[in-house]
Amino acid sequence: MAGMRMTVIGTGYLGATHAACMAELGHEVLGIDVDQTKIDALKAGKVPFFEPGLPEVLERNLANGRLCFTTDYKEAAEFANVHFIGVGTPQQRGSYAADTTYVEAAVDSLVPHLQGDHVIFGKSTVPVGTAQALQERANKLISASASLEIAWNPEFLREGYAVNDTITPDRIVLGVRSTNSTNSTETRAEEIAREVYATPLADGTPFIVTDLQTAELVKVSANAFLATKISFINAVSEVCEIVGADVTQLADAIGHDERIGRKFLGAGLGFGGGCLPKDIRAFMARAGELGADQALTFLREVDAINMRRRERVVDLSREILGSLIGRRITVLGAAFKPNSDDVRDSPALAVAGQLNLAGASVRVYDPEAMDNARRVFPTLDYADSLDDALADAELVILATEWDEFRQLDPEHAGQLVESKTLIDARNVLPVPAWHSAGWELHALGRSL
Ligand code: UDX
């Protein structure tokens, strides 16, 4: 089947990945962003963030001519009749709510240029009701000779696995406006989505077609559930710490129950990143606006449990060292999770920053996130290598579970540090090997 033509508006993690992967599926894609430097980088085959596998997909599809980039909305309007919006919806300053101004700006910039019949698929995570509001906004901007349907097609990609998650998703969700006419049950958006995703659909990927508000809620509910699962095990972890139980064995044991499942029961420093923390807050804010604030007050607790884990690591460091002032602490990890250079709301960086503010001399090392970390926390000391990071440390904290740290040789590490004391804040190290190399280990939710 011949590929389709489409544009992808916004070329951050979500948009750049979506654009490159749609080209990989055989479509002709034009990526648009207001940020000229981002567009220049992508045109030159450079992905402006760390995402395994994406540079290869980008280069391949630039070379075969299926993928182009521009900052010009008029060009976008003329290039295709199918448009995806993948711009950011960050947390608003001074509020829990999501900031939808970038999504609105994308509609405002594109719609006046449209001629003929168009469909916009929103991919960004938005408060329920946004798609409907955008349709009304667009109806006022569109020229009399053009038509536009806005549908919602939430994205579930995980950083670090973004290419795979986009090309072979778990499920495809599509929210469309309700069809009033009795003889047509399929909107144009649904028909087009079936063509866009023909390859994964042919492989049997579940396709859920629903109304706009359900599609919007699916996305935030999925992330709220994942956050709740992590905070659940971290709350149990707090109790384990008091009674000397082992949260990792407990998670294995309950995880065998298929109804529970072991995934996302990794107890430790908790969740961060650009999605989970922001999405649970935006969900609470939206529920409040809708008069259903009580329904989601438990998410406040999910957030609080998560934040307490960071404090616990700082407190534990103080307990171990007696005082933090002037002590040399090495934090391994700055990214919010491995295989990413993203430091947005990173638990690792939050701990490093708090220890530093409490007077410790903190040295940080991360395989990929050093530049981003430096920008957020310029006052921390950044090591050039893992060995350099470990040199003379009085306490080591494993805060992001990169393979490089999991596979660290405890004998070798022991020769570099001043004191063989380590907090495994992600519960990932092989404890017996570290013990036999003479290390004193501490962890969250279990005594070692
Ligand atoms: C998440 C969702 O998984 C994805 O579907 C959505 O599209 C965007 O948000 P992402 O932010 O990339 O993806 O990270 P994810 O892999 O979900 O991890 C989130 C955080 O939870 C990380 O900080 C991770 O370290 C933490 N985590 C995860 C735990 O603390 N314990 C676990 O068991 C799993």
Side-chain angles (χ1 to χ4, degrees):
M1 194 196 67
M4 305 169 70
R5 284 169 82 93
M6 61 190 67
T7 76
V8 178
I9 302 170
T11 57
Y13 274 104
L14 169 56
T17 307
H18 190 69
C21 291
M22 288 301 106
E24 184 78 357
L25 286 176
H27 302 305
E28 270 181 70
V29 185
L30 179 65
I32 300 126
D33 205 291
V34 289
D35 184 342
Q36 185 73 53
T37 44
K38 239 183 224 174
I39 290 296
D40 289 344
L42 289 163
K43 271 183 168 170
K46 289 195 192 72
V47 179
F49 48 86
F50 178 75
E51 183 60 47
L54 188 56
E56 292 81 353
V57 178
L58 175 72
E59 276 167 35
R60 191 159 50 238
N61 289 285
L62 284 171
N64 66 26
R66 286 205 295 262
L67 183 58
C68 299
F69 292 95
T70 184
T71 53
D72 184 353
Y73 271 96
K74 192 163 179 295
E75 194 184 332
E78 286 161 9
F79 182 84
N81 294 61
V82 178
H83 311 274
F84 287 90
I85 297 184
V87 297
T89 48
Q91 189 175 332
Q92 267 177 31
R93 259 171 212 278
S95 144
Y96 266 12
D99 178 354
T100 55
T101 48
Y102 300 114
V103 185
E104 287 152 12
V107 167
D108 292 354
S109 309
L110 178 74
V111 173
H113 297 295
L114 299 180
Q115 294 298 327
D117 301 325
H118 291 253
V119 173
I120 291 180
F121 293 98
K123 293 201 82 64
S124 310
T125 304
V126 292
V128 60
T130 302
Q132 172 71 35
L134 288 175
Q135 179 78 61
E136 284 158 21
R137 193 181 180 99
N139 291 347
K140 292 187 192 129
L141 297 169
I142 198 158
S143 79
S145 57
S147 82
L148 172 68
E149 177 181 354
I150 296 185
W152 221 258
N153 172 219
E155 182 55 60
F156 303 98
L157 64 80
R158 296 161 297 169
E159 290 181 17
Y161 303 90
V163 172
N164 232 2
D165 285 352
T166 307
I167 291 181
T168 54
D170 288 345
R171 76 293 209 187
I172 297 168
V173 175
L174 180 70
V176 293
R177 64 179 178 213
S178 52
T179 46
N180 294 326
S181 95
T182 42
N183 50 10
S184 144
T185 49
E186 199 179 73
T187 66
R188 191 168 138 72
E190 180 180 349
E191 192 187 316
I192 291 172
R194 285 188 188 279
E195 231 179 302
V196 171
Y197 296 116
T199 308
L201 291 177
D203 292 338
T205 306
F207 185 39
I208 295 112
V209 182
T210 180
D211 51 71
L212 291 169
Q213 55 277 31
T214 305
E216 291 167 326
L217 281 173
V218 164
K219 174 63 206 235
V220 280
S221 306
N223 278 355
F225 189 85
L226 293 172
T228 303
K229 205 169 172 191
I230 299 168
S231 278
F232 170 81
I233 200 66
N234 281 335
V236 174
S237 171
E238 291 186 14
V239 181
C240 287
E241 275 159 24
I242 296 165
V243 298
D246 185 322
V247 75
T248 59
Q249 287 185 330
L250 181 149
D252 289 343
I254 63 171
H256 282 301
D257 184 330
E258 272 182 21
R259 294 169 303 175
I260 297 174
R262 180 63 172 85
K263 288 182 186 157
F264 273 69
L265 286 182
L269 202 43
F271 60 82
C275 292
L276 263 44
K278 161 196 86 124
D279 288 352
I280 57 170
R281 292 171 196 156
F283 199 9
M284 281 186 267
R286 188 67 184 129
E289 287 166 11
L290 296 166
D293 43 354
Q294 275 188 336
L296 296 183
T297 43
F298 76 94
L299 288 177
R300 230 174 256 283
E301 208 47 50
V302 166
D303 206 352
I305 293 164
N306 192 51
M307 289 302 179
R308 276 210 297 276
R309 294 287 76 188
R310 304 176 184 189
E311 279 164 40
R312 174 68 190 135
V313 173
V314 175
D315 292 345
L316 187 57
S317 306
R318 193 180 284 110
E319 282 164 29
I320 294 167
L321 294 170
S323 156
L324 291 173
I325 298 167
R327 308 306 289 272
R328 288 186 302 281
I329 303 178
T330 292
V331 175
L332 298 182
F336 83 102
K337 68 171 191 179
N339 297 315
S340 169
D341 66 354
D342 195 343
V343 299
R344 285 177 294 172
D345 207 348
S346 165
L349 211 49
V351 165
Q354 281 173 37
L355 288 168
N356 179 251
L357 294 172
S361 164
V362 182
R363 179 163 262 223
V364 178
Y365 175 72
D366 188 284
E368 292 293 340
M370 299 294 266
D371 290 344
N372 287 341
R374 241 184 234 112
R375 267 192 288 269
V376 178
F377 260 111
T379 50
L380 298 174
D381 178 16
Y382 292 95
D384 294 329
S385 66
L386 180 50
D387 279 10
D388 179 27
L390 293 169
D392 300 326
E394 293 174 87
L395 171 67
V396 179
I397 301 173
L398 193 162
T400 310
E401 67 278 30
W402 285 94
D403 276 347
E404 189 178 352
F405 305 152
R406 300 169 84 129
Q407 286 154 14
L408 183 59
D409 174 8
E411 296 284 352
H412 172 71
Q415 285 158 12
L416 299 171
V417 296
E418 183 177 305
S419 167
K420 289 197 257 185
T421 313
L422 182 143
I423 301 175
D424 179 2
R426 291 291 180 180
N427 283 316
V428 289
L429 290 182
V431 175
W434 284 76
H435 274 162
S436 31
W439 283 79
E440 176 189 318
L441 292 188
H442 301 265
L444 300 181
R446 56 182 183 157
S447 33
L448 298 174

